Structures are given as structure tokens and as C-alpha cells.
Amino acid sequence: MSPKHQGLKRRHPNKTSKVHQDDSGDESDDLVNESGSEGDGQQDDQESEDQKDKNFQADEPHFTVPGDAWMLLPADHRRVIIHLDADCFYAQVEMVRDPSLRDKPLGVKQKNLMVTSNYVARSMGVKKSMWIKEALEALPDLILIDGSDLTHYRQCSSEISAVVRTFTVDVERLGLDENFADVTEILEDYIEESDPNKIEGHVYGDKEPDETLPGDPCGCGCRERLIAGALVAKKIRQQIVKATGITCCAGVAHNKLLAKLVSGYYKPDQQTVLFPWLVHQLMNSLNLTRSIPGIGSTMCKTLEELGIHTVKDLQNSSLALLHSKFDDETSKRLRDLSFGIDDAPVRRSGRPQTIGLEDAFRKVNSIDVVQSKYLTLLERLLKLLKEDGRIPSTLRVCVRKFDTKKKFGNRESRQTPILPSLFASGVQNVGENTRATLMNQVMELFHKMVDTSKEFHLTLLSIGFTKFIERASHENSISRFFFKRKRSETEEQDINEEKGEKSGHLKSFSTFSSVNNSKIHSLELYLESCSESDSYSSEGGRNTQGSMNIKDMLSKSHNHSIGKKDFKNIKGKFQ
Ligand code: DCP
Ligand code: MG
Ligand code: MG
């Protein structure tokens, strides 16, 4: 045993009440057989193997490691990934805006749902995602703030990501309150600064706070790197508080999946490190496949059709079985994820690939209402576009059709190119002509999806702009950037998306198909790609003001042609 690892205590800023799930199981044989052949380069080195064995036996009294399966995983432990998730995000933003709310139970609502609650409310039994009625019954003193306008949340979200980017450029945003940071490249400085005998925050698998820091059974240096990673995580979190007043939780591990899985282990305002030798234990502690980030509801349903319900089922499933429903790449990735293996890179987030807004409701069955709602969404969307500054080349429209057989209805979308001339003067001052043309395009797409000559029942409408064209600062002529489109970062991301579609990328576009040169795909894609701007639902949908009063104005909706004058009139009704 290395002397520097002996009998040392780690730092624990906070105690926690969170109960560890400690089900190590013993499925190691399968894991070894399946993955051992790929090796990790460590096994050739007999000397380090011996050292690993010694460390492993001497330093691991607290952990249940299923054999030495973790050592044979094909995943390497070279990277250090930090996942950050803001605590009760919308509620914290409200508390920063009005500090008098800090010590009071607070909920943020959108329509009938309380989308989050602060930790004071949570300690009084009001959890996030409760119906308003239910929350008020549980706690009549609950203060509720309307969170339909996302402006402040978006702003704070960008500030948080900006802080993370001051540590590394490899930052990927996920929704409004999460960021992944790959800090591998910047570790060197922090390794020097960090104490190999102390670690910031919690270690996954600890049964007691201040347990002796484990030795290094791996020998690849991951222990040292993760200790340094924990220091970086702490500094990032401190810096975020300093800059924005927002506290976050962090997970530190050697891949994105594992970092995300452990980041919420101790909440709020805490962090957790996962060492590779406990990956198996962590994965075995999960139950249903949907608890694995990256396996969405559609994927879960398909897995269930194969009789795969739990993570353990997935681990035990054969690739041949998975191949009956998924392509090679997806089958392998699913299996890998079930063992905690994830080589997905942290993809630098630029600006969002799609700016979209949606409105959900119980029932819309009249074309007039559809048109008024799309009009409201379009007006809001143009404001967002103005803030963003980029010029979109594609318009996307989505509907969700009510379906008694499907809980979440049937989503369908259509997209169409936007004529370059429409935004010839940029997106700052969009004229009436452009608005009217866009509205016509929206309705044309809508009529391709919904046969309004029959009865229809819709529960969601959304529109979005995508495939943005960046205007190079040195280019003066507007025509240049329309016709000489260089492949910007955004476009490359789109291309990656396409790749994902074709290879059946997880959580992506299994329903992808092509009709009349426009793509149809599930809204999952749409929401994924607009996660930066509107990760859940938007304020656009909240404003139904005036929607029932414009019937006369919308009389042309059936032949979906709106003139400039009509548009002006319609718009006037909304102001
Ligand atoms: N959100 C939403 N609709 C939902 C779920 C969440 O609008 N159905 C919003 C409100 C949350 C924010 O997204 O504040 C981030 O979601 P999280 O799941 O990260 O939840 P919180 O940050 O609120 O709480 P936690 O401390 O558990 O992360
Ligand atoms: Mg959060
Ligand atoms: Mg979150």
C-alpha cells in the first residue's frame, strides 16, 4: 500500500441524510466475459497489476467490489467530467431576485403545475412537480410565483455556463440548469494544488462521512485525477455562487453518464465523486432502465417489448436480442450504458440549434384557435430571434394529436426552408410582409399534418426556427452570407444530428422519415435541440390573451393565406 494513502481522512463539508443504495450484486462474470476481450491497456503491465492487487486488498475494506470486474471494463478512466445541476433552479432565481423569499417555502408554477419548489418547501413535504392544488393542500402557506416567463431563468442559465467556461471551453449545456464540463485538460494545475489525501465533498459508496480515502486499486492515475477534479468542481461551484448567487450540485466521474448519475446523490449544494471501482455497484443500485440518463421513454418502451425492464435485465440481455429492435451501434451503446460505460464526448455548446416555443392545452379543435395560438407563438418567437441575432433557414411546426391509446398523444412535425429574402434586412426589424409570409408557411405546414375538413383534437402546438446562418462580422453584403454559407459550428451540430438520426442515436429520431423533401420526426428531437432556449415549455404558450376574439380576422385560415393587411389587424388584436 502506498504510504500516502494510508489512514487518511477526507474533507466533508456537509453531512447528509441521503440513504445510500448499497446493492452490489454479483454479475461480474458476464461483465468480464463480455468486455474483457477489449481490454484497457492496463492488463499488460504485470508490475502495475501486482500493485493494483496489493492496493485493492489493503485499501478497500469498505467497498464491495464485485470481483475485479471494473478493472476489465473497456472504458478508460482518462477523462474527468463534471456534471453541474443548479439546485431548485427557478426557485433559486426567484430567491436571488427577492432575497426575502429565501427562508420561506416557495414554489414556482406554470399553469396548474408547480415545476419546482425551494428546499424549505421540500423539507415541509412540498416536492417539485406537484399539482398546484395538491401542493397548497399540503402547505397552505406556500408562496407561489408564476414562472411562465423564462427570461430571467434563461439569463441566469447563460451566466452559469459562462462561469463554467472560464475554467474550460469544453462545456456542454443540458437544459437550462445543467452543464457538463470536461476538465481533463486543465487538471495538471489542480493536481499540484490538491492534497492526495483529501477530497472535496462526498465519495460515492461511503457509509460514514470521513471514511478513509481509498487507495488506488486501478493504478491508471484516475484516483489522483478525480481528486483534482473534485477540487475543480468545488471551485466552479464557488465561482457560480459568487457570480450569480446560485448554488449547484456536482458529480465528478470519468464519463458523462456517471457524472450525471452521481451529481444528485447529495443535495443541495454538495458534490459527489465516483471512483471507477464503484461503477458496478452504482449501476446495480439502479432499478428501471429509464433511470439511465440517455435512455428516453420511447427507448424504454421498445426495451419493454423485448422483456427488458430493469438495468440488470439490460446487462443480461444478449446483443442478438437487442439487434432485433435496434441497429448495431444503438444495441452496443445500450449495453454499454447499463454497465456505466459511456465514451460520448462533452460537446461544446454554442448557441441553441433551434429556437422554439410551444403551447400545450387540453383541447383545441378549431382552426381559428389554432391560428391565433400560432400567431401568438410566432410573435414571441420573433422576439427571441431578435435577441439571438442569427438568421434561420428553416421553419419547423409541430402538433400533438390527442390519442386515447397513447398517454402523451401523437406528435408530428413538418419543416420547410425559409426564403433567404425573408430576412434580407436581418432579424432585428422584421416587417409585416415577412410576418405574414411566415404565418402562411406555418399554416401550410399545419394543414399538411391536420385534415381540418374532419374533426380534430390537438393538445399541443409548437413552432421553431432552426439551421441558423451565422453572419460573419467582416461580411457587409447581406447576399454573401445567404449564398456563400460557410459551415458554421451550428451547422456542424446539425450535421451531427443527422448522423444521430441515421444511426438510431439514443433519444433521437427513431421516427425519422422523409416526405416531400421535408423531414418528419418526433418532437423529442425538437425539444432536445431546443433545450437551451426552452427545455420544458415556454412562456410563449402562456399567453392566450385575445385568442378567442379574433375569429373574424382569421376567416381566411382555411385557405391558409393571410395578407399583409390582415396580419396587421390580427396583430393589433394581440397588443
Ligand atoms: N422544470 C420545468 N418543468 C418540469 C421540470 C423542471 O419547467 N417539468 C424547470 C424548473 C426547474 C428547472 O427546470 O427549476 C430545472 O429542473 P431540475 O429537474 O434540475 O429541478 P430543480 O433544479 O428545480 O431542482 P433540483 O434541486 O432537484 O435540481
Ligand atoms: Mg436542478
Ligand atoms: Mg436539472
Side-chain angles (χ1 to χ4, degrees):
M1 175 166 56
S2 159
K4 70 179 181 180
H5 300 145
Q6 250 177 323
L8 301 162
K9 296 283 172 187
R10 80 185 70 119
R11 215 176 285 155
H12 272 278
N14 295 303
K15 296 214 172 189
T16 177
S17 57
K18 175 124 189 177
V19 179
H20 287 260
Q21 294 160 306
D22 189 28
D23 168 19
S24 58
D26 196 353
E27 298 293 321
S28 57
D29 284 350
D30 244 14
L31 181 61
V32 174
N33 291 342
E34 193 63 37
S35 55
S37 57
E38 292 184 52
D40 63 1
Q42 294 294 326
Q43 295 150 53
D44 298 337
D45 183 347
Q46 196 50 50
E47 208 176 280
S48 77
E49 275 303 295
D50 291 341
Q51 188 57 41
K52 272 191 271 182
D53 281 343
K54 273 187 217 147
N55 286 338
F56 180 70
Q57 285 155 16
D59 282 0
E60 284 297 311
H62 311 292
F63 302 104
T64 317
V65 181
D68 51 3
W70 63 270
M71 282 195 251
L72 300 171
L73 288 171
D76 66 66
H77 314 140
R78 273 177 304 181
R79 293 184 299 160
V80 174
I81 310 292
I82 299 174
H83 175 257
L84 294 141
D85 187 326
D87 301 317
C88 58
F89 183 50
Y90 289 6
Q92 267 209 92
V93 173
E94 298 299 344
M95 293 191 292
V96 168
R97 294 179 71 206
D98 177 359
S100 73
L101 295 169
R102 279 216 172 273
D103 306 322
K104 298 177 185 140
L106 174 69
V108 176
K109 64 171 183 166
Q110 284 177 352
K111 293 194 171 170
N112 304 327
L113 187 70
M114 191 184 62
V115 289
T116 194
S117 53
N118 69 358
Y119 279 79
V120 177
R122 291 187 202 185
S123 71
M124 297 172 170
V126 177
K127 307 290 175 212
K128 57 182 178 179
S129 302
M130 279 171 105
W131 295 113
I132 298 295
K133 194 169 167 268
E134 204 186 344
L136 285 173
E137 270 166 19
L139 189 61
D141 290 340
L142 180 71
I143 299 169
L144 282 167
I145 290 187
D146 186 64
S148 314
D149 183 348
L150 305 187
T151 312
H152 297 288
Y153 312 140
R154 278 206 199 96
Q155 202 177 330
C156 185
S157 166
S158 304
E159 284 167 19
I160 291 174
S161 297
V163 172
V164 187
R165 282 195 197 103
T166 62
F167 286 78
T168 170
V169 285
D170 292 318
V171 177
E172 178 177 333
R173 285 159 59 82
L174 189 68
L176 282 186
D177 85 330
E178 294 174 41
N179 287 276
F180 284 108
D182 184 334
V183 296
T184 318
E185 296 296 320
I186 60 158
L187 281 180
E188 218 167 294
D189 297 344
Y190 295 90
I191 286 179
E192 268 173 34
E193 199 185 317
S194 58
D195 181 343
N197 309 320
K198 284 182 185 155
I199 191 159
E200 296 294 346
H202 304 270
V203 172
Y204 173 81
D206 276 5
K207 292 185 179 58
E208 302 287 335
D210 294 331
E211 276 191 33
T212 304
L213 194 62
D216 190 1
C218 179
C220 83
C222 56
R223 177 187 183 279
E224 191 183 34
R225 287 192 295 274
L226 287 163
I227 290 172
L231 178 62
V232 183
K234 185 189 153 194
K235 293 198 175 207
I236 294 177
R237 288 173 48 238
Q238 282 175 339
Q239 210 49 44
I240 292 172
V241 173
K242 213 168 151 190
T244 65
I246 299 288
T247 61
C248 296
C249 281
V252 187
H254 62 266
N255 69 38
K256 279 165 58 174
L257 164 72
L258 298 168
K260 184 165 163 73
L261 277 173
V262 290
S263 71
Y265 222 73
Y266 294 93
K267 287 160 84 167
D269 196 17
Q270 296 177 68
Q271 62 179 61
T272 310
V273 176
L274 174 73
F275 287 112
W277 44 94
L278 288 184
V279 170
H280 200 71
Q281 181 176 315
L282 172 67
M283 297 315 292
N284 280 346
S285 74
L286 303 176
N287 185 16
L288 298 176
T289 50
R290 75 168 59 101
S291 50
I292 297 181
I295 301 189
S297 55
T298 315
M299 189 73 73
C300 279
K301 269 184 216 145
T302 316
L303 286 170
E304 273 163 24
E305 285 166 22
L306 295 175
I308 299 170
H309 303 276
T310 64
V311 175
K312 200 158 275 185
D313 291 342
L314 189 54
Q315 290 178 347
N316 292 333
S317 67
S318 68
L319 280 176
L321 177 68
L322 294 170
H323 276 157
S324 66
K325 294 275 183 189
F326 304 102
D327 63 22
D328 279 9
E329 202 180 318
T330 310
S331 304
K332 185 171 179 306
R333 180 146 168 78
L334 280 167
R335 284 264 300 164
D336 280 354
L337 288 177
S338 73
F339 288 113
I341 299 166
D342 174 23
D343 58 7
V346 169
R347 216 173 67 166
R348 279 181 210 174
S349 299
R351 284 184 286 179
Q353 296 163 42
T354 296
I355 298 177
L357 292 173
E358 67 177 46
D359 191 8
F361 24 75
R362 279 217 180 85
K363 183 172 189 174
V364 162
N365 58 357
S366 120
I367 185 67
D368 293 352
V369 178
V370 167
Q371 192 152 0
S372 71
K373 283 188 182 291
Y374 272 134
L375 201 54
T376 310
L377 289 172
L378 181 63
E379 276 304 308
R380 299 255 180 173
L381 194 60
L382 288 171
K383 278 190 192 141
L384 291 180
L385 194 64
K386 188 175 168 182
E387 274 172 32
D388 183 276
R390 287 172 298 166
I391 294 176
S393 68
T394 300
L395 173 72
R396 193 178 282 170
V397 173
C398 173
V399 298
R400 185 173 64 199
K401 295 174 182 170
F402 179 74
D403 184 340
T404 42
K405 289 185 211 110
K406 291 188 181 167
K407 194 176 165 198
F408 299 106
N410 275 326
R411 291 167 186 265
E412 212 179 296
S413 70
R414 290 282 195 285
Q415 62 183 35
T416 187
I418 297 170
L419 278 179
S421 58
L422 269 196
F423 291 113
S425 350
V427 293
Q428 298 306 319
N429 296 303
V430 175
E432 295 302 330
N433 270 338
T434 299
R435 292 174 135 80
T437 310
L438 284 169
M439 195 57 203
N440 279 334
Q441 283 189 295
V442 168
M443 293 313 295
E444 266 172 32
L445 293 174
F446 171 80
H447 282 281
K448 281 183 183 164
M449 295 182 281
V450 181
D451 180 357
T452 52
S453 64
K454 298 181 187 147
E455 269 189 25
F456 62 91
H457 179 168
L458 304 173
T459 57
L460 180 139
L461 297 171
S462 79
I463 56 175
F465 289 126
T466 185
K467 293 194 172 32
F468 291 98
I469 306 160
E470 304 272 4
R471 186 179 186 175
S473 56
H474 61 277
E475 284 177 316
N476 296 323
S477 161
I478 193 93
S479 59
R480 267 170 150 176
F481 71 89
F482 280 127
F483 300 111
K484 245 180 64 188
R485 288 172 56 176
K486 74 174 185 230
R487 187 185 285 184
S488 65
E489 190 185 329
T490 310
E491 285 174 302
E492 275 171 11
Q493 282 174 351
D494 285 338
I495 290 162
N496 287 338
E497 258 188 28
E498 299 264 328
K499 277 190 202 148
E501 280 174 292
K502 279 168 193 149
S503 63
H505 189 268
L506 288 183
K507 269 204 113 171
S508 292
F509 330 115
S510 50
T511 55
F512 176 87
S513 65
S514 187
V515 176
N516 294 338
N517 293 329
S518 58
K519 292 167 190 169
I520 303 175
H521 47 75
S522 73
L523 191 68
E524 214 172 337
L525 152 67
Y526 175 73
L527 290 174
E528 286 251 300
S529 57
C530 71
S531 63
E532 286 204 358
S533 52
D534 291 278
S535 52
Y536 296 96
S537 53
S538 70
E539 78 272 30
R542 308 300 166 209
N543 182 4
T544 53
Q545 185 197 352
S547 62
M548 305 303 285
N549 304 331
I550 58 166
K551 210 172 169 188
D552 297 340
M553 296 293 166
L554 300 171
S555 56
K556 289 191 177 180
S557 61
H558 285 282
N559 60 15
H560 43 86
S561 159
I562 303 169
K564 184 177 163 184
K565 205 170 143 211
D566 298 327
F567 194 90
K568 255 188 179 160
N569 289 336
I570 295 165
K571 222 184 95 197
K573 289 278 174 186
F574 283 94
Q575 283 165 346

